Amino acid sequence: MSVAGLIFSNIHNSSMPELTSVRTMASVPYGCRYRLVDFPLSNMVNSGITKIGIITHNNYQSLMDHIGTGKDWDLARRSGGIRILPPFITSYNSANGGKLYSTRLEALMGVTGFISKCSEEYIVLSDCDGICSIDLNKVLEDHIEKNADVTIVTRTVNFKKEIPSDGATEIKCNADGFATEVSAYIDYDRSAEISTNIIIANRLFLLNAINDASAHGYNHFYKDIIARRVKSARINCYHYDGIYLQITSLESYFRCSMQLLDPEVRNGLFVKESPIYTKLRNSAPTVYANGSKVINSYVADGCVIEGTVENSIIFRGVHVGKGTVVKNSILLQDTFTGTNVSLNCVITDKNVVIRNNRVLSGHESMPFFISKGAMV
């Protein structure tokens, strides 16, 4: 398949500053052992894409540590493979403050060198705030069959079940599946078809559109590239009705993580035929001490459970002390809890220490967050 991939790692950092202050959105931990970048990356690899660029902005050290050479995704290759694309700043820009990109279109302007050097006919664009397992081959087949210039993967949102991000883009399509109107999704009191920010574009069309936008001083991808070309270009819509979880805040991160405890959601994300790859670690099995109790929870390897864990997500290396009760919580890697601790609706970042006899509680709509390396 003649397709290359581009992943935006930092676009949505501002939506969840609690977890992105020390890392990119792409490297936010999820589901015991994964990072958010694993989902778009695995979707591309499972669809046969072997040249992938990851556009970075700042705080991408943890992303580089996670990706490494790309061997865990079979992308450690001499030809193609995975490439970290840092911000492009000229000496002139550096002398004038070195302003980094702030929009999707500006990010694409910074990687036109990568796009122009690609020999592939198509480019797949994807964000990291959406969690799904999608067959991009089917999207590409639809794109080619309709002779489209751009294909946008869309999904239906229902306000009563989900509140999308403030930056959601609504796509209205005709009976043939081509976009007729592109606008910001503002009226949240109704269902709508919005973009998942998974896009397939003809490489030359995308390159020409970026260069034209740069020449005119445009900076918004949907408003200045897609909306301006709705009538002149073939903008195709591909409806996706599988499991799709979008992280737009700390509350939505908590909710999307808790949804993994639902077998239907879990089976829709982790499909045997299309596995989600991640960085492998050789951890010992989790130790469940006498008297410990685990109910409806997702527990990684390398943990020590001496207390009670219920309806929670427990990452690698977590220690739950004797008499401790962890309910409806997310404990990231190497969190240590002492004895007789009570946690409810709590999110801990990595390497957090919670001392004996502490009682911490939040709410589903406002989980209690403890920053990386903190001691309570």
Side-chain angles (χ1 to χ4, degrees), residues 19-20 25 78 81 91 97 102 107 117 142 144 160 168 193 215 245 257 287 307 366:
L19 283 167
T20 58
M25 190 72 166
R78 289 188 177 182
S91 57
S102 58
K117 290 179 182 178
D142 188 66
I144 295 173
K160 294 180 180 179
E193 198 77 2
L245 308 177
S257 296
V287 175
M366 187 178 290

Side-chain angles (χ1 to χ4, degrees), residues 95-220:
N96 288 272
K99 181 181 178 182
L100 301 180
Y101 68 82
S102 58
T103 68
R104 186 186 314 277
L105 180 51
E106 290 175 351
L108 288 171
M109 290 176 183
V111 296
T112 51
F114 174 84
I115 298 173
S116 61
K117 290 179 182 178
C118 286
S119 59
E120 287 75 14
E121 188 174 356
Y122 307 102
I123 301 289
V124 176
L125 310 176
S126 182
D127 289 358
C128 289
D129 66 328
I131 302 167
C132 68
S133 178
I134 184 172
D135 186 350
L136 294 173
N137 285 320
K138 293 182 178 179
V139 184
L140 181 62
E141 289 171 5
D142 188 66
H143 177 84
I144 295 173
E145 182 181 342
K146 293 183 177 179
N147 192 29
D149 295 308
V150 175
T151 293
I152 302 173
V153 179
T154 63
R155 65 188 181 97
T156 303
V157 292
N158 187 323
F159 175 76
K160 294 180 180 179
K161 295 181 179 180
E162 176 186 2
I163 302 176
S165 68
D166 293 336
T169 302
E170 182 176 357
I171 312 288
K172 293 182 180 179
C173 304
N174 59 24
D176 296 324
F178 288 100
T180 58
E181 185 179 342
V182 179
S183 60
Y185 179 42
I186 299 174
D187 185 5
Y188 293 147
D189 290 331
R190 59 180 174 82
S191 297
E193 198 77 2
I194 68 170
S195 172
T196 62
N197 294 322
I198 299 174
I199 300 167
I200 293 183
N202 296 344
R203 185 180 66 87
L204 293 180
F205 176 88
L206 179 64
L207 195 58
N208 290 334
I210 294 171
N211 290 334
D212 178 70
S214 178
H216 287 85
Y218 299 149
N219 62 7
H220 196 283

Side-chain angles (χ1 to χ4, degrees), residues 24-307:
T24 67
M25 190 72 166
S27 53
V28 168
Y30 180 80
C32 284
R33 59 192 295 245
Y34 301 97
R35 303 293 182 109
L36 292 184
V37 72
D38 293 335
F39 292 88
L41 198 53
S42 297
N43 288 335
M44 292 182 183
V45 170
N46 289 331
S47 300
I49 301 174
T50 57
K51 180 187 286 186
I52 302 172
I54 300 182
I55 306 174
T56 61
H57 186 289
N58 56 9
N59 284 348
Y60 54 90
Q61 181 63 54
S62 62
L63 178 63
M64 294 176 65
D65 292 342
H66 180 69
I67 297 297
T69 62
K71 66 182 180 65
D72 293 304
W73 297 265
D74 193 25
L75 291 173
R77 300 165 178 253
R78 289 188 177 182
S79 177
I82 195 165
R83 302 181 186 180
I84 302 292
L85 304 175
F88 180 77
I89 305 177
T90 65
S91 57
Y92 172 79
N93 288 337
S94 181
N96 288 272
K99 181 181 178 182
L100 301 180
Y101 68 82
S102 58
T103 68
R104 186 186 314 277
L105 180 51
E106 290 175 351
L108 288 171
M109 290 176 183
V111 296
T112 51
F114 174 84
I115 298 173
S116 61
K117 290 179 182 178
C118 286
S119 59
E120 287 75 14
E121 188 174 356
Y122 307 102
I123 301 289
V124 176
L125 310 176
S126 182
D127 289 358
C128 289
D129 66 328
I131 302 167
C132 68
S133 178
I134 184 172
D135 186 350
L136 294 173
N137 285 320
K138 293 182 178 179
V139 184
L140 181 62
E141 289 171 5
D142 188 66
H143 177 84
I144 295 173
E145 182 181 342
K146 293 183 177 179
N147 192 29
D149 295 308
V150 175
T151 293
I152 302 173
V153 179
T154 63
R155 65 188 181 97
T156 303
V157 292
N158 187 323
F159 175 76
K160 294 180 180 179
K161 295 181 179 180
E162 176 186 2
I163 302 176
S165 68
D166 293 336
T169 302
E170 182 176 357
I171 312 288
K172 293 182 180 179
C173 304
N174 59 24
D176 296 324
F178 288 100
T180 58
E181 185 179 342
V182 179
S183 60
Y185 179 42
I186 299 174
D187 185 5
Y188 293 147
D189 290 331
R190 59 180 174 82
S191 297
E193 198 77 2
I194 68 170
S195 172
T196 62
N197 294 322
I198 299 174
I199 300 167
I200 293 183
N202 296 344
R203 185 180 66 87
L204 293 180
F205 176 88
L206 179 64
L207 195 58
N208 290 334
I210 294 171
N211 290 334
D212 178 70
S214 178
H216 287 85
Y218 299 149
N219 62 7
H220 196 283
F221 181 81
Y222 285 102
K223 182 175 71 175
D224 296 325
I225 286 186
I226 302 301
R228 290 177 184 272
R229 290 171 172 78
V230 163
K231 294 182 179 179
S232 61
R234 297 175 67 84
I235 311 297
N236 179 40
C237 299
Y238 180 93
H239 177 75
Y240 177 71
D241 57 6
I243 299 295
Y244 186 96
L245 308 177
Q246 186 177 23
I247 295 175
T248 60
S249 63
L250 187 68
E251 180 274 329
S252 66
Y253 173 78
F254 181 83
R255 173 169 45 81
C256 291
S257 296
M258 291 296 107
Q259 285 183 266
L260 286 177
L261 301 179
D262 182 346
E264 183 178 348
V265 173
R266 194 164 60 245
N267 294 335
L269 289 177
F270 302 104
V271 183
K272 184 177 180 181
E273 294 76 16
S274 303
I276 303 300
Y277 303 100
T278 189
K279 181 179 180 180
L280 296 177
R281 297 179 185 272
N282 295 321
S283 301
T286 290
V287 175
Y288 297 93
N290 291 334
S292 64
K293 183 187 295 184
V294 177
I295 304 170
N296 190 38
S297 295
Y298 205 11
V299 182
D301 295 336
C303 299
V304 176
I305 309 297
E306 297 180 293

